Amino acid sequence: MSAPVRATTGVFSTFMWLRPDAVLTESGVERGLAVCVQAGRIIEVALAALVPDGEPVRRLPGRLLIPGFVNAHSHAFQREFRAETEFRQVDQDDNFWTWRDRMYRSAQKLDPDGVHRAALRVFSEMLAAGFTTVGEFHYLHHRPAGQSYAAIEEMSQAVIDAAANVRIRMVLLEVLYCTGGIGQALRPEQRRFASSDFDRYRALVDAVQRSARSSPLVTVGLAPHSVRAVPRDLLREIGLLGAERNLPVHMHLSEQISEVDDCVAAYGQSPVATAAAAGLLSDRFTAVHATHLRDGDAELLAEAGARVCACPSTEANLGDGFLPARELRAAGVDLCIGSDSHALIDPFAELRMIEYRERLRSRSRNVLVGETPDRAGRLRLGAELLAMGTAHGAAALGLDTGAIRAGALADLVAIDVEDPALQGVSSEFLQEALALCGSPRCVKEVWVGGVQVHGPR
Ligand SMILES: [Zn+2]
């Protein structure tokens, strides 16, 4: 295998003030502010008039500075087969499972270099779209027949190197994958995903944690793939490992009706209840999809402080079903977003799809307005949706990003408020306009850890 160029670029920013027209802080859109960045973090948000003379200021006229979006659920390698899995003419009864078969076949072709190239492409596209962090749910681990590469973490390292190369912040969610279905052997094309036992999985986690120590933008989390792929006793093991190391834990849950039916038939309870009974739910836990919840599931997630990662463009693309966003929010479950299989990479579209699906379901408007009024006493749809794209995703990944405040990581996006989609919108409604009308076209400059990674300098 020829080694690709995998040099790590710079480390963290030097001291600098960013001076846009407006800043989206935790209080809303505010004018006349400047944001001071040093050593990768925001160290101060101050009135621009108070910036001391002589200090370095980057002026950003016509820009609204917002926290970078957090893509909490990604399978980078799946972007590589968009043509084969999306656009090719298929049978009339195409569905999630036939898509999965095609995706498995395509995945057989990838080696570590191919995964690295795929991740470079998809992470670059994410940055240009305004995502500054990705939760990479990584399960392509071994050679096609299931044997390890020379190093157990070789595939993971290819993804870590890609994140470092393009300078996107990443939580590598290492996947545990054991069975082809509940109580079923792996299919041949699933063998390269699998860990032979929990000790091998723990060794993989140890290896990527060691590697991440030398990649300042990379941290590690745990990811039992699903109830289909992980037996109950190992769900308990992974919960214990996550608690011991204080790591985020992400898991596909209740994405498909047949997955829920199989789980109820095998265990007498839903996938969410199964995860809860295994001690897996906590405030470090994120359920990915949760499209087919049973009664009581939302309450179980809420009681644990767990979150749900919605992947609306993928769920629509695969025909998964509707996320019950209104019910989850009513139960007190925070939502975040992911672009999952990458049929589309657009945080704005993901956010408005969550709201618009609720409108279509309920035949009403402004469904996800939240319960906390802003300073003017109004419930705000835009703030609620943008929090899903930023702060809630950061919390799901255990990161101190997703907000513009002193101490947070300096992951920032400059929005062109003169873009035709936003032109003429007052500060009061810019959050709504961004969530409902925004697009990657509005993203002009992007910083990760205070270092500019996209746009004119
Ligand atoms: Zn997924």
Side-chain angles (χ1 to χ4, degrees):
M1 181 186 84
S2 62
V5 177
R6 295 186 189 170
T8 304
T9 52
V11 186
F12 288 125
S13 59
T14 52
F15 182 81
M16 159 182 74
W17 288 90
L18 295 174
R19 173 70 175 95
D21 282 2
V23 178
L24 177 58
T25 69
E26 291 169 303
S27 302
V29 174
E30 301 189 80
R31 292 189 177 273
L33 295 181
V35 176
C36 188
V37 169
Q38 186 175 29
R41 290 191 178 260
I42 297 166
I43 59 169
E44 190 176 357
V45 181
L47 288 172
L50 300 181
V51 173
D53 286 343
E55 295 199 345
V57 176
R58 170 83 183 271
R59 292 189 179 277
L60 298 164
R63 301 285 193 260
L64 164 69
L65 197 66
I66 68 170
F69 289 107
V70 175
N71 189 345
H73 189 69
S74 157
H75 307 289
F77 75 92
Q78 291 181 5
R79 170 65 179 82
E80 207 60 2
F81 342 115
R82 202 183 270 178
E84 286 162 83
T85 56
E86 300 301 326
F87 309 136
R88 191 181 296 279
Q89 192 67 39
V90 294
D91 298 338
Q92 284 204 320
D93 56 353
D94 195 15
N95 58 32
F96 171 87
W97 304 104
T98 55
W99 168 84
R100 196 182 70 155
D101 287 343
R102 291 201 301 282
M103 184 270 286
Y104 281 173
R105 281 198 296 275
S106 300
Q108 295 304 303
K109 302 171 194 164
L110 286 174
D111 64 5
D113 283 355
V115 166
H116 182 247
R117 281 192 297 271
L120 282 177
R121 264 197 286 271
V122 76
F123 292 162
S124 298
E125 188 179 351
M126 285 181 198
L127 287 172
F131 283 121
T132 49
T133 296
V134 58
E136 178 61 24
F137 197 102
H138 177 67
Y139 61 91
L140 198 55
H141 287 135
H142 308 303
R143 295 177 193 276
Q147 312 97 318
S148 282
Y149 288 100
I152 190 173
E153 74 279 20
E154 193 161 336
M155 280 291 210
S156 305
Q157 190 64 48
V159 181
I160 290 173
D161 290 346
N165 286 159
V166 304
R167 282 199 62 89
I168 194 167
R169 194 177 301 287
M170 179 175 75
V171 178
L172 185 67
L173 298 158
E174 275 297 351
V175 171
L176 176 63
Y177 201 114
C178 307
T179 57
I182 297 175
Q184 295 175 15
L186 291 166
R187 290 166 42 172
E189 61 272 30
Q190 293 170 321
R191 287 182 301 202
R192 65 184 321 193
F193 310 151
S195 296
S196 53
D197 56 44
F198 199 76
D199 286 342
R200 288 291 287 168
Y201 176 67
R202 191 194 298 267
L204 176 63
V205 173
D206 290 344
V208 293
Q209 283 197 294
R210 274 195 301 275
S211 171
R213 281 187 212 119
S214 57
S215 297
L217 298 177
V218 178
T219 52
V220 175
L222 306 178
H225 180 276
S226 59
V227 292
R228 302 193 302 271
V230 183
R232 281 188 296 185
D233 57 328
L234 295 187
L235 291 181
R236 188 166 295 283
E237 290 285 330
I238 214 165
L240 292 171
L241 184 62
E244 177 191 310
R245 300 190 186 184
N246 193 29
L247 299 177
V249 179
H250 287 218
M251 179 179 183
H252 295 122
L253 269 184
S254 303
E255 180 178 8
Q256 289 289 318
I257 289 173
S258 67
E259 169 199 340
V260 178
D261 290 345
D262 289 351
C263 189
V264 171
Y267 301 143
Q269 54 192 3
S270 71
V272 173
T274 300
L280 204 56
L281 303 192
S282 75
D283 61 0
R284 292 174 289 97
F285 184 84
T286 297
V288 181
H289 301 304
T291 33
H292 298 289
L293 296 181
R294 293 283 176 103
D295 288 349
D297 283 352
E299 289 71 21
L300 281 175
L301 292 166
E303 282 163 21
R307 297 166 189 81
V308 164
C309 182
C311 307
S313 65
T314 297
E315 288 149 11
N317 178 281
L318 297 178
D320 283 347
F322 290 100
L323 172 83
R326 189 183 31 175
E327 292 85 346
L328 285 163
R329 292 298 299 124
V333 178
D334 284 340
L335 306 178
C336 53
I337 58 167
S339 63
D340 196 355
S341 66
H342 311 303
L344 180 72
I345 295 180
D346 180 342
F348 308 90
E350 304 291 349
L351 295 175
R352 66 178 155 265
M353 282 180 77
I354 297 175
E355 164 68 14
Y356 283 173
R357 292 193 309 193
E358 290 304 309
R359 294 188 186 192
L360 290 163
R361 278 209 307 155
S362 64
R363 286 167 290 174
S364 58
R365 305 184 72 233
N366 289 300
V367 181
L368 298 172
V369 289
E371 294 178 348
T372 309
D374 67 6
R375 283 173 298 184
R378 281 190 298 258
L379 296 173
R380 300 306 301 261
L381 178 67
E384 179 81 6
L385 294 178
L386 291 176
M388 294 177 194
T390 55
H392 297 335
L397 292 171
L399 294 175
D400 190 13
T401 185
I404 297 183
R405 59 173 154 68
L409 294 163
D411 299 341
L412 303 163
V413 168
I415 297 289
D416 177 13
V417 292
E418 299 301 321
D419 183 274
L422 304 176
Q423 229 168 23
V425 178
S426 68
S427 298
E428 185 183 0
F429 295 114
L430 261 179
Q431 291 186 80
E432 280 74 17
L434 264 184
L436 300 180
C437 317
S439 74
R441 190 184 65 198
C442 306
V443 171
K444 295 303 178 191
E445 293 92 9
V446 178
W447 294 261
V448 174
V451 173
Q452 190 174 346
V453 293
H454 173 75
R457 287 160 171 83

mmCIF file with all atom_site columns, all heavy atoms in Angstrom, residues 73 75 78 137 139 252 255 288-289 340-341, ligand 1:
data_model
loop_
_atom_site.group_PDB
_atom_site.id
_atom_site.type_symbol
_atom_site.label_atom_id
_atom_site.label_alt_id
_atom_site.label_comp_id
_atom_site.label_asym_id
_atom_site.label_entity_id
_atom_site.label_seq_id
_atom_site.pdbx_PDB_ins_code
_atom_site.Cartn_x
_atom_site.Cartn_y
_atom_site.Cartn_z
_atom_site.occupancy
_atom_site.B_iso_or_equiv
_atom_site.pdbx_formal_charge
_atom_site.auth_seq_id
_atom_site.auth_comp_id
_atom_site.auth_asym_id
_atom_site.auth_atom_id
_atom_site.pdbx_PDB_model_num
ATOM   1   N  N   . HIS A 1 73  ? -23.408 12.949 13.487 1.00 0.00 ? 73  HIS A N   1
ATOM   2   C  CA  . HIS A 1 73  ? -23.461 11.564 13.009 1.00 0.00 ? 73  HIS A CA  1
ATOM   3   C  C   . HIS A 1 73  ? -23.057 11.488 11.537 1.00 0.00 ? 73  HIS A C   1
ATOM   4   O  O   . HIS A 1 73  ? -23.761 11.982 10.658 1.00 0.00 ? 73  HIS A O   1
ATOM   5   C  CB  . HIS A 1 73  ? -24.861 10.991 13.177 1.00 0.00 ? 73  HIS A CB  1
ATOM   6   C  CG  . HIS A 1 73  ? -24.929 9.509  12.903 1.00 0.00 ? 73  HIS A CG  1
ATOM   7   N  ND1 . HIS A 1 73  ? -24.338 8.584  13.733 1.00 0.00 ? 73  HIS A ND1 1
ATOM   8   C  CD2 . HIS A 1 73  ? -25.483 8.800  11.884 1.00 0.00 ? 73  HIS A CD2 1
ATOM   9   C  CE1 . HIS A 1 73  ? -24.550 7.368  13.254 1.00 0.00 ? 73  HIS A CE1 1
ATOM   10  N  NE2 . HIS A 1 73  ? -25.223 7.466  12.127 1.00 0.00 ? 73  HIS A NE2 1
ATOM   11  N  N   . HIS A 1 75  ? -20.987 8.837  8.522  1.00 0.00 ? 75  HIS A N   1
ATOM   12  C  CA  . HIS A 1 75  ? -20.196 7.698  8.048  1.00 0.00 ? 75  HIS A CA  1
ATOM   13  C  C   . HIS A 1 75  ? -19.476 8.205  6.800  1.00 0.00 ? 75  HIS A C   1
ATOM   14  O  O   . HIS A 1 75  ? -20.039 8.173  5.698  1.00 0.00 ? 75  HIS A O   1
ATOM   15  C  CB  . HIS A 1 75  ? -21.083 6.508  7.675  1.00 0.00 ? 75  HIS A CB  1
ATOM   16  C  CG  . HIS A 1 75  ? -22.050 6.087  8.754  1.00 0.00 ? 75  HIS A CG  1
ATOM   17  N  ND1 . HIS A 1 75  ? -21.649 5.477  9.910  1.00 0.00 ? 75  HIS A ND1 1
ATOM   18  C  CD2 . HIS A 1 75  ? -23.396 6.205  8.841  1.00 0.00 ? 75  HIS A CD2 1
ATOM   19  C  CE1 . HIS A 1 75  ? -22.712 5.224  10.663 1.00 0.00 ? 75  HIS A CE1 1
ATOM   20  N  NE2 . HIS A 1 75  ? -23.780 5.654  10.052 1.00 0.00 ? 75  HIS A NE2 1
ATOM   21  N  N   . GLN A 1 78  ? -19.350 6.433  3.340  1.00 0.00 ? 78  GLN A N   1
ATOM   22  C  CA  . GLN A 1 78  ? -20.567 6.227  2.536  1.00 0.00 ? 78  GLN A CA  1
ATOM   23  C  C   . GLN A 1 78  ? -20.752 7.315  1.475  1.00 0.00 ? 78  GLN A C   1
ATOM   24  O  O   . GLN A 1 78  ? -21.432 7.098  0.471  1.00 0.00 ? 78  GLN A O   1
ATOM   25  C  CB  . GLN A 1 78  ? -21.794 6.134  3.444  1.00 0.00 ? 78  GLN A CB  1
ATOM   26  C  CG  . GLN A 1 78  ? -21.791 4.860  4.285  1.00 0.00 ? 78  GLN A CG  1
ATOM   27  C  CD  . GLN A 1 78  ? -23.008 4.717  5.172  1.00 0.00 ? 78  GLN A CD  1
ATOM   28  O  OE1 . GLN A 1 78  ? -23.931 5.525  5.120  1.00 0.00 ? 78  GLN A OE1 1
ATOM   29  N  NE2 . GLN A 1 78  ? -22.998 3.680  5.999  1.00 0.00 ? 78  GLN A NE2 1
ATOM   30  N  N   . PHE A 1 137 ? -18.906 8.099  13.085 1.00 0.00 ? 137 PHE A N   1
ATOM   31  C  CA  . PHE A 1 137 ? -19.362 6.796  13.576 1.00 0.00 ? 137 PHE A CA  1
ATOM   32  C  C   . PHE A 1 137 ? -18.699 5.751  12.692 1.00 0.00 ? 137 PHE A C   1
ATOM   33  O  O   . PHE A 1 137 ? -19.207 5.387  11.628 1.00 0.00 ? 137 PHE A O   1
ATOM   34  C  CB  . PHE A 1 137 ? -20.883 6.782  13.444 1.00 0.00 ? 137 PHE A CB  1
ATOM   35  C  CG  . PHE A 1 137 ? -21.631 5.732  14.231 1.00 0.00 ? 137 PHE A CG  1
ATOM   36  C  CD1 . PHE A 1 137 ? -22.288 6.062  15.414 1.00 0.00 ? 137 PHE A CD1 1
ATOM   37  C  CD2 . PHE A 1 137 ? -21.746 4.430  13.767 1.00 0.00 ? 137 PHE A CD2 1
ATOM   38  C  CE1 . PHE A 1 137 ? -23.024 5.118  16.111 1.00 0.00 ? 137 PHE A CE1 1
ATOM   39  C  CE2 . PHE A 1 137 ? -22.478 3.484  14.454 1.00 0.00 ? 137 PHE A CE2 1
ATOM   40  C  CZ  . PHE A 1 137 ? -23.116 3.826  15.637 1.00 0.00 ? 137 PHE A CZ  1
ATOM   41  N  N   . TYR A 1 139 ? -17.127 2.353  11.445 1.00 0.00 ? 139 TYR A N   1
ATOM   42  C  CA  . TYR A 1 139 ? -17.228 0.903  11.618 1.00 0.00 ? 139 TYR A CA  1
ATOM   43  C  C   . TYR A 1 139 ? -16.554 0.065  10.546 1.00 0.00 ? 139 TYR A C   1
ATOM   44  O  O   . TYR A 1 139 ? -16.620 -1.167 10.567 1.00 0.00 ? 139 TYR A O   1
ATOM   45  C  CB  . TYR A 1 139 ? -18.682 0.464  11.800 1.00 0.00 ? 139 TYR A CB  1
ATOM   46  C  CG  . TYR A 1 139 ? -19.661 0.733  10.684 1.00 0.00 ? 139 TYR A CG  1
ATOM   47  C  CD1 . TYR A 1 139 ? -19.872 -0.216 9.679  1.00 0.00 ? 139 TYR A CD1 1
ATOM   48  C  CD2 . TYR A 1 139 ? -20.423 1.883  10.659 1.00 0.00 ? 139 TYR A CD2 1
ATOM   49  C  CE1 . TYR A 1 139 ? -20.798 0.001  8.677  1.00 0.00 ? 139 TYR A CE1 1
ATOM   50  C  CE2 . TYR A 1 139 ? -21.356 2.111  9.666  1.00 0.00 ? 139 TYR A CE2 1
ATOM   51  C  CZ  . TYR A 1 139 ? -21.535 1.167  8.672  1.00 0.00 ? 139 TYR A CZ  1
ATOM   52  O  OH  . TYR A 1 139 ? -22.453 1.394  7.687  1.00 0.00 ? 139 TYR A OH  1
ATOM   53  N  N   . HIS A 1 252 ? -27.103 3.687  16.961 1.00 0.00 ? 252 HIS A N   1
ATOM   54  C  CA  . HIS A 1 252 ? -28.321 3.689  16.138 1.00 0.00 ? 252 HIS A CA  1
ATOM   55  C  C   . HIS A 1 252 ? -29.438 3.029  16.957 1.00 0.00 ? 252 HIS A C   1
ATOM   56  O  O   . HIS A 1 252 ? -29.268 1.900  17.423 1.00 0.00 ? 252 HIS A O   1
ATOM   57  C  CB  . HIS A 1 252 ? -28.131 2.839  14.882 1.00 0.00 ? 252 HIS A CB  1
ATOM   58  C  CG  . HIS A 1 252 ? -27.113 3.358  13.912 1.00 0.00 ? 252 HIS A CG  1
ATOM   59  N  ND1 . HIS A 1 252 ? -26.023 2.621  13.512 1.00 0.00 ? 252 HIS A ND1 1
ATOM   60  C  CD2 . HIS A 1 252 ? -27.031 4.514  13.223 1.00 0.00 ? 252 HIS A CD2 1
ATOM   61  C  CE1 . HIS A 1 252 ? -25.307 3.304  12.628 1.00 0.00 ? 252 HIS A CE1 1
ATOM   62  N  NE2 . HIS A 1 252 ? -25.889 4.460  12.439 1.00 0.00 ? 252 HIS A NE2 1
ATOM   63  N  N   . GLU A 1 255 ? -34.297 2.823  14.206 1.00 0.00 ? 255 GLU A N   1
ATOM   64  C  CA  . GLU A 1 255 ? -34.316 3.483  12.893 1.00 0.00 ? 255 GLU A CA  1
ATOM   65  C  C   . GLU A 1 255 ? -35.373 2.856  11.990 1.00 0.00 ? 255 GLU A C   1
ATOM   66  O  O   . GLU A 1 255 ? -36.004 3.540  11.188 1.00 0.00 ? 255 GLU A O   1
ATOM   67  C  CB  . GLU A 1 255 ? -32.943 3.379  12.233 1.00 0.00 ? 255 GLU A CB  1
ATOM   68  C  CG  . GLU A 1 255 ? -32.870 4.050  10.857 1.00 0.00 ? 255 GLU A CG  1
ATOM   69  C  CD  . GLU A 1 255 ? -31.489 3.977  10.216 1.00 0.00 ? 255 GLU A CD  1
ATOM   70  O  OE1 . GLU A 1 255 ? -30.624 3.280  10.775 1.00 0.00 ? 255 GLU A OE1 1
ATOM   71  O  OE2 . GLU A 1 255 ? -31.280 4.620  9.174  1.00 0.00 ? 255 GLU A OE2 1
ATOM   72  N  N   . VAL A 1 288 ? -29.179 7.632  17.876 1.00 0.00 ? 288 VAL A N   1
ATOM   73  C  CA  . VAL A 1 288 ? -29.198 8.134  16.502 1.00 0.00 ? 288 VAL A CA  1
ATOM   74  C  C   . VAL A 1 288 ? -30.461 7.627  15.799 1.00 0.00 ? 288 VAL A C   1
ATOM   75  O  O   . VAL A 1 288 ? -30.744 6.416  15.832 1.00 0.00 ? 288 VAL A O   1
ATOM   76  C  CB  . VAL A 1 288 ? -27.937 7.677  15.741 1.00 0.00 ? 288 VAL A CB  1
ATOM   77  C  CG1 . VAL A 1 288 ? -27.942 8.214  14.314 1.00 0.00 ? 288 VAL A CG1 1
ATOM   78  C  CG2 . VAL A 1 288 ? -26.686 8.133  16.481 1.00 0.00 ? 288 VAL A CG2 1
ATOM   79  N  N   . HIS A 1 289 ? -31.194 8.534  15.224 1.00 0.00 ? 289 HIS A N   1
ATOM   80  C  CA  . HIS A 1 289 ? -32.448 8.319  14.475 1.00 0.00 ? 289 HIS A CA  1
ATOM   81  C  C   . HIS A 1 289 ? -33.681 8.333  15.389 1.00 0.00 ? 289 HIS A C   1
ATOM   82  O  O   . HIS A 1 289 ? -34.467 9.264  15.336 1.00 0.00 ? 289 HIS A O   1
ATOM   83  C  CB  . HIS A 1 289 ? -32.426 7.040  13.617 1.00 0.00 ? 289 HIS A CB  1
ATOM   84  C  CG  . HIS A 1 289 ? -31.346 7.018  12.607 1.00 0.00 ? 289 HIS A CG  1
ATOM   85  N  ND1 . HIS A 1 289 ? -31.200 8.011  11.669 1.00 0.00 ? 289 HIS A ND1 1
ATOM   86  C  CD2 . HIS A 1 289 ? -30.329 6.141  12.403 1.00 0.00 ? 289 HIS A CD2 1
ATOM   87  C  CE1 . HIS A 1 289 ? -30.147 7.738  10.911 1.00 0.00 ? 289 HIS A CE1 1
ATOM   88  N  NE2 . HIS A 1 289 ? -29.602 6.620  11.345 1.00 0.00 ? 289 HIS A NE2 1
ATOM   89  N  N   . ASP A 1 340 ? -25.045 11.815 8.319  1.00 0.00 ? 340 ASP A N   1
ATOM   90  C  CA  . ASP A 1 340 ? -25.148 10.371 8.225  1.00 0.00 ? 340 ASP A CA  1
ATOM   91  C  C   . ASP A 1 340 ? -24.541 9.803  6.943  1.00 0.00 ? 340 ASP A C   1
ATOM   92  O  O   . ASP A 1 340 ? -23.336 9.740  6.798  1.00 0.00 ? 340 ASP A O   1
ATOM   93  C  CB  . ASP A 1 340 ? -26.624 9.982  8.391  1.00 0.00 ? 340 ASP A CB  1
ATOM   94  C  CG  . ASP A 1 340 ? -26.815 8.491  8.704  1.00 0.00 ? 340 ASP A CG  1
ATOM   95  O  OD1 . ASP A 1 340 ? -25.827 7.750  8.695  1.00 0.00 ? 340 ASP A OD1 1
ATOM   96  O  OD2 . ASP A 1 340 ? -27.953 8.075  8.953  1.00 0.00 ? 340 ASP A OD2 1
ATOM   97  N  N   . SER A 1 341 ? -25.354 9.419  5.953  1.00 0.00 ? 341 SER A N   1
ATOM   98  C  CA  . SER A 1 341 ? -24.809 8.793  4.749  1.00 0.00 ? 341 SER A CA  1
ATOM   99  C  C   . SER A 1 341 ? -24.386 9.822  3.703  1.00 0.00 ? 341 SER A C   1
ATOM   100 O  O   . SER A 1 341 ? -23.882 9.463  2.651  1.00 0.00 ? 341 SER A O   1
ATOM   101 C  CB  . SER A 1 341 ? -25.837 7.848  4.135  1.00 0.00 ? 341 SER A CB  1
ATOM   102 O  OG  . SER A 1 341 ? -26.946 8.580  3.673  1.00 0.00 ? 341 SER A OG  1
HETATM 103 ZN ZN  . ZN  B 2 .   ? -25.702 5.926  10.816 1.00 0.00 ? 1   ZN  B ZN  1
#
